[in-house]
Each structure stands twice: as structure tokens, then as C-alpha cells.
Amino acid sequence: MKQLLYVSLFSIFLTAFTVHKFNSRDLTQMVATLPKLDSIELQRQLESDIHKLSGIQFIETSLMSKTLVMNYDAKKTSAKKVDQVLQKWGCESGKSSFRAIAKK
């Protein structure tokens, strides 16, 4: 009976550790220039489609600076998927930069 208790406790701790490991607390911030971002309608469509991707925490675009700022969980989505959405709307990214940030 004592062994069953130890096995059960070990299983619970192992499960808790595994679940915590897959719950990413780290985010990646992407900042990209979008030279072809020239209308409010395109801006809304891009933000809407990108926001539908898994793992997107924050997205904002600017018509004035023609930039995209986005925070995402790299375990759930990738910059390649974002590029696919940009290409869908004919708005390929120019220069891009990435940095790791911690989720609060």
C-alpha cells in the first residue's frame, strides 16, 4: 500500500512538471516593416487574420510608420505562418527583428 502511495505521488509530480513545462511563459516579439501597408482596410484584415493564429498575444500595426509589432508564443506559431498571412494580402514584410520577452 505504501508503494502505491509513492507511485501515485511520483505520477502527480511528474504530470505537474510536464504540464508546467509545456505552458510557455516566454514570448517572442516581432517588429517588421510593411512597405505596402497603405490602407485601413488592409490593416484591419491583417490584424484580424494574424490574431486568428494560435499563440498570438498582442498585435498592432501602424499606417504612419508602416510597421507591425506582435508578441507570440513561438511554441504555438511561427514567423513563417505570419509571413504566409502577409503574403495572402500582398503585404510582404521588409526588415524584421525578433527578441525574447517574458510574459507577465
Side-chain angles (χ1 to χ4, degrees), residues 5 8 43 55-56 59 61 67 78 84 86 88:
L5 177 64
S8 297
Q43 180 183 27
I56 303 298
I59 181 168
T61 56
T67 56
S78 66
Q84 290 171 345
L86 293 175
K88 171 185 171 183

Side-chain angles (χ1 to χ4, degrees), residues 4-14:
L4 182 60
L5 177 64
Y6 290 131
V7 170
S8 297
L9 287 174
F10 177 74
S11 297
I12 291 170
F13 286 125
L14 183 62

Side-chain angles (χ1 to χ4, degrees), residues 29-41:
Q29 183 176 70
M30 174 182 175
V31 179
T33 59
L34 304 175
K36 295 184 180 179
L37 182 62
D38 57 4
S39 72
I40 292 174
E41 186 60 30

Side-chain angles (χ1 to χ4, degrees), residues 37-53:
L37 182 62
D38 57 4
S39 72
I40 292 174
E41 186 60 30
L42 178 58
Q43 180 183 27
R44 287 182 186 147
Q45 292 167 338
L46 283 175
E47 287 185 9
S48 176
D49 273 4
I50 292 172
H51 214 292
K52 291 176 186 175
L53 295 173

